[in-house]
Amino acid sequence: MGKLKHMKLGDWIFNIVQYVMLISASIIALIPVVVCIFTAFKTDAEYQATTPLVLPESFGNFDNFVQAFTKANMLRGFLNTGIVLIVVLVLSILFASMLAYVLDRFRFIGSGLIRNLFMFASLIPGIATQVTVYQIMYNLRLINHLYGYIIVLCGTDIISIYIFLQFFENLPKSLDESAILDGCSYFGVFFKILFPLLKPAIVTSCVLKGVSVYNEYYMSNLYLQSSELKTISTALYTFTGPYGSQYNYICAGVLITILPILVLFLICQKQVYGGMAAGAVKG
Amino acid sequence: MSKSATSQAAQRKSAMSSLLGGGKTNRILVIVTFMFIPLLLLAVFTYIPFLEMVRFSFFNRTYLDEGTFVGWKNYIDVFSRKDIFGSLIVSVYYMGGAVVQLALALFFASLMVFKAKGSSIYKACMFFPYLICGIAVGFIFKFFYAHGYVLDSILGLFGIPLEDCPLWLQNQNINNIALVATSVWRYTGQNMVLFLGAMMSVDNELYEAASLDGAGRWQQFKYIILPSIKTIIVLNLILSISGSLSAFEPPYVITNGTMGTGTYFVIMNRIAHENQKVGLACAMAIVLLGIIVLCTIGQNLFFKYVFKDGSEDDVTRAERKAAQKAAKLARRGGARVHG
């Protein structure tokens, strides 16, 4: 009896510690962003006069957002990022699923080698090879064109291939076989039978690839240099120059870029977590 | 359903093989068309640059000028130049940060395994920083650490006057710690989600049975949770070595690598694109790749020999199975630390 009482006290203490720890960790995780929200709604005068922890006078002051949006040409950034995102997602899903289909369903000379080539490629850090990729892009006249950037993003896409390979391993081969007996060609098998079944893998790879393309900075900085080709992350980077320490504008810019990702995350949390576990292969 | 389909397929197998002959051209056609573009892209954007990189690393060249052959000089420079060697020292801070990050992730994931109300909210709050783009993270923390701004104001709430606050980004004793903290902030939640996934793959009945048998939380942690994720922890520790060399965007935005905060990639970026020392930058990339390959080999050896039968006497079969599952998950994925 005494033991039971003791355990209950222990449970109680554990629960308190558990909640205090979890809640304070959540607060610490949010503080840097929340402070940005406060600051982004402050007028210049308010920003000068108050510390960052003070709430803004009103959350209705969108001047900084408008300023940030127009000065950094974020509309252009969103437009370019949007185009790149859609094209890259469509192409990389198509290419990766076709490649995974061939590698999983057929055994031929060199199929093992090809698989290993892709595996090894995932070890090579992306930023490291850009020195020589830059030269190739230059020779192919792909610099300063959206399509050049799209091509290079598709070319460095290993994550989706992994995801589709895993998925095909779990799709029964009997599906292909019976379709072929019914007179389907291999192309028909892939496009009519298998592709529609890939939906979960497509969602996972869209989430992962989407986030990484949206956040990509290094390559868009290298390959999209003219100002009308800025993507959202290079547009955000322009705040290092003219605004210096005008953090009320910078914070507004930061929040504008975060917002779409936040919305996506809130809508499909489950897929995002699932995607992490399934395909956190490489940046 | 799939079972009956399999048996059906087995019945039809003989018919199938006779059909295959006719499908041979179709088969070759599908292989070639489906693989052509991905292989072309792989060659053009991964392997040709890789080979070029190896070649360039022996030359003293810029982007346009072919330069002269210098043998191993660039490689010697990687280890003897002060700025590059300094960046290797900086990466030690990031490795330390990775250890802290894994410990925190493990701690919070364990707290969440024992049911807590609203845990999905805490999880979301802690995970969200991972989705913010590196440039935005840079700005957020530039603001956070600026003298007299967020961190100093928070410390002010605790009664520490502004004069006593150090210059977080300029003081060379602490600026790397401050920058590493941004990495910890960014990736702890993601690590936690991975750990949580591995822990949840343990059969729930195991926890229930354990607590019915009177096992305390510490015992549950030691005998159920820890075995289920030790593989993923080791894997993350190994990954943190290459991850700490690849940290880029936050230090790039926050300090631009000045005042002794240049990580390997920040320095490499400067050498390649500002100083135009392409040969040296390529040698740096090859050294980095060498380190990564060594880590991968080490990781495989570790799993082969240390976790071979994987377990002390007290690990039951179910637990081992869970550990294997976690290992599979980890090998497939593996957390990205820093970067």
Side-chain angles (χ1 to χ4, degrees):
Chain A
M1 187 66 200
K3 200 182 169 196
L4 199 73
K5 211 169 183 183
H6 173 76
M7 270 184 62
K8 273 202 170 146
L9 184 69
D11 279 357
W12 204 65
I13 293 171
F14 178 84
N15 277 335
I16 290 177
V17 172
Q18 188 186 22
Y19 281 107
V20 168
M21 286 291 174
L22 287 175
I23 291 171
S24 45
S26 306
I27 291 172
I28 290 171
L30 288 184
I31 278 180
V33 180
V34 169
V35 171
C36 271
I37 299 175
F38 290 175
T39 306
F41 284 100
K42 286 179 184 173
T43 62
D44 282 346
E46 231 185 320
Y47 168 72
Q48 298 289 350
T50 57
T51 76
L53 302 182
V54 177
L55 281 167
E57 266 165 33
S58 96
F59 280 105
N61 168 26
F62 286 96
D63 291 354
N64 298 329
F65 291 92
V66 175
Q67 274 279 339
F69 198 78
T70 48
K71 283 278 162 59
N73 210 350
M74 288 183 125
L75 183 64
R76 196 78 238 184
F78 274 117
L79 215 66
N80 288 332
T81 298
I83 294 167
V84 170
L85 200 63
I86 290 167
V87 179
V88 167
L89 285 182
V90 170
L91 289 182
S92 69
I93 283 163
L94 202 63
F95 294 155
S97 61
M98 292 193 310
L99 182 81
Y101 168 69
V102 171
L103 287 181
D104 187 72
R105 294 303 208 237
F106 301 104
R107 291 281 164 275
F108 52 92
I109 305 162
S111 64
L113 176 74
I114 290 171
R115 214 181 239 260
N116 286 334
L117 283 177
F118 278 101
M119 295 292 178
F120 184 72
S122 73
L123 289 181
I124 302 174
I127 294 182
T129 50
Q130 293 312 313
V131 178
T132 41
V133 171
Y134 185 86
Q135 212 138 34
I136 290 170
M137 294 286 283
Y138 180 82
N139 291 333
L140 294 174
R141 308 276 179 275
L142 289 177
I143 291 177
N144 265 335
H145 295 291
L146 270 188
Y147 58 80
Y149 180 57
I150 288 169
I151 291 171
V152 80
L153 282 181
C154 289
T156 49
D157 177 41
I158 314 283
I159 313 170
S160 315
I161 295 170
Y162 269 98
I163 293 168
F164 285 111
L165 268 176
Q166 280 164 39
F167 200 80
F168 270 112
E169 275 167 22
N170 297 326
L171 277 183
K173 286 205 169 96
S174 49
L175 283 171
D176 311 27
E177 283 160 6
S178 48
I180 284 178
L181 283 179
D182 293 341
C184 226
S185 70
Y186 288 109
F187 292 93
V189 171
F190 178 76
F191 286 108
K192 285 193 203 125
I193 314 285
L194 296 176
F195 197 76
L197 296 174
L198 294 177
K199 214 168 145 198
I202 291 174
V203 172
T204 305
S205 95
C206 271
V207 166
L208 283 181
K209 187 83 190 159
V211 170
S212 82
V213 169
Y214 184 83
N215 288 340
E216 206 283 323
Y217 167 77
Y218 197 80
M219 287 194 264
S220 64
N221 180 44
L222 274 184
Y223 304 129
L224 299 174
Q225 289 159 350
S226 66
S227 62
E228 70 271 23
L229 290 176
K230 286 219 177 315
T231 61
I232 197 67
S233 55
T234 47
L236 182 63
Y237 187 74
T238 57
F239 282 110
T240 40
Y243 288 112
S245 57
Q246 283 286 74
Y247 285 107
N248 49 345
Y249 295 114
I250 296 177
C251 284
V254 164
L255 291 177
I256 293 171
T257 52
I258 292 179
L259 195 67
I261 287 273
L262 178 64
V263 171
L264 176 88
F265 177 57
L266 292 179
I267 295 171
C268 42
Q269 269 185 56
K270 220 177 183 175
Q271 286 82 353
V272 173
Y273 293 139
M276 285 307 126
V281 179
K282 184 190 175 232
Chain B
M1 178 230 145
S2 78
K3 210 170 180 181
S4 72
T6 331
S7 66
Q8 251 180 358
Q11 279 168 13
R12 292 193 213 162
K13 204 152 195 181
S14 55
M16 175 85 184
S17 58
S18 67
L19 257 171
L20 261 178
K24 200 153 193 179
T25 25
N26 186 238
R27 188 182 136 102
I28 293 169
L29 202 65
V30 80
I31 291 175
V32 172
T33 46
F34 278 15
M35 290 210 313
F36 180 70
I37 295 175
L39 279 180
L40 185 73
L41 290 173
L42 184 72
V44 172
F45 294 110
T46 303
Y47 283 101
I48 294 175
F50 173 65
L51 294 175
E52 286 282 275
M53 212 161 71
V54 175
R55 193 168 67 85
F56 285 8
S57 69
F58 294 103
F59 284 84
N60 174 20
R61 61 168 296 156
T62 63
Y63 275 106
L64 298 173
D65 176 35
E66 275 282 338
T68 49
F69 183 80
V70 292
W72 295 96
K73 187 182 171 298
N74 287 327
Y75 288 92
I76 296 166
D77 279 357
V78 169
F79 293 101
S80 59
R81 266 181 68 137
K82 223 175 154 194
D83 53 348
I84 303 176
F85 189 75
S87 76
L88 290 172
I89 304 288
V90 168
S91 69
V92 175
Y93 281 96
Y94 283 84
M95 275 177 230
V99 174
V100 173
Q101 169 189 317
L102 289 177
L104 286 174
L106 179 60
F107 176 72
F108 288 114
S110 312
L111 282 185
M112 279 185 194
V113 167
F114 303 112
K115 304 226 165 3
K117 278 200 189 83
S119 61
S120 65
I121 296 171
Y122 312 132
K123 190 174 160 187
C125 290
M126 287 157 84
F127 178 79
F128 182 64
Y130 176 72
L131 296 175
I132 299 175
C133 81
I135 300 297
V137 171
F139 280 122
I140 289 171
F141 279 93
K142 203 176 177 183
F143 180 49
F144 190 81
Y145 287 126
H147 191 61
Y149 288 94
V150 186
L151 184 55
D152 292 348
S153 311
I154 293 171
L155 291 175
L157 292 182
F158 292 101
I160 299 168
L162 184 59
E163 304 86 66
D164 289 354
C165 294
L167 294 168
W168 301 104
L169 298 174
Q170 284 82 24
N171 184 336
Q172 301 221 3
N173 295 320
I174 50 169
N175 57 4
N176 276 312
I177 296 172
L179 288 175
V180 168
T182 67
S183 266
V184 174
W185 176 79
R186 194 173 173 198
Y187 293 113
T188 298
Q190 191 256 7
N191 281 189
M192 186 190 74
V193 167
L194 282 182
F195 288 165
L196 207 54
M199 290 172 182
M200 292 301 191
S201 70
V202 177
D203 199 342
N204 228 343
E205 284 169 28
L206 214 56
Y207 292 108
E208 279 162 27
S211 64
L212 277 181
D213 288 347
R217 287 198 178 78
W218 173 246
Q219 282 154 325
Q220 286 186 37
F221 176 77
K222 196 172 160 199
Y223 296 114
I224 304 178
I225 296 179
L226 210 54
S228 72
I229 53 164
K230 65 179 176 187
T231 350
I232 206 171
I233 293 173
V234 173
L235 190 92
N236 273 296
L237 278 174
I238 296 169
L239 280 177
S240 72
I241 298 171
S242 55
S244 58
L245 289 167
S246 325
F248 179 69
E249 279 152 350
Y252 177 68
V253 175
I254 299 174
T255 60
N256 197 13
T258 55
M259 287 160 294
T261 57
T263 59
Y264 198 73
F265 265 0
V266 171
I267 299 289
M268 199 177 110
N269 178 56
R270 187 184 301 156
I271 286 174
H273 299 293
E274 285 166 37
N275 306 354
Q276 297 256 326
K277 294 197 167 187
V278 172
L280 182 58
C282 286
M284 286 183 78
I286 299 284
V287 169
L288 176 63
L289 186 65
I291 294 172
I292 290 172
V293 169
L294 279 181
C295 291
T296 312
I297 293 169
Q299 168 197 321
N300 287 337
L301 290 178
F302 194 91
F303 286 118
K304 207 166 167 188
Y305 294 108
V306 180
F307 286 166
K308 195 161 73 180
D309 51 21
S311 34
E312 305 85 65
D313 318 328
D314 44 30
V315 179
T316 68
R317 248 185 67 211
E319 285 157 13
R320 201 180 308 160
K321 219 163 134 194
Q324 275 164 3
K325 208 166 166 189
K328 217 162 141 196
L329 186 94
R331 219 165 296 139
R332 230 196 262 149
R336 198 171 66 135
V337 193
H338 305 304

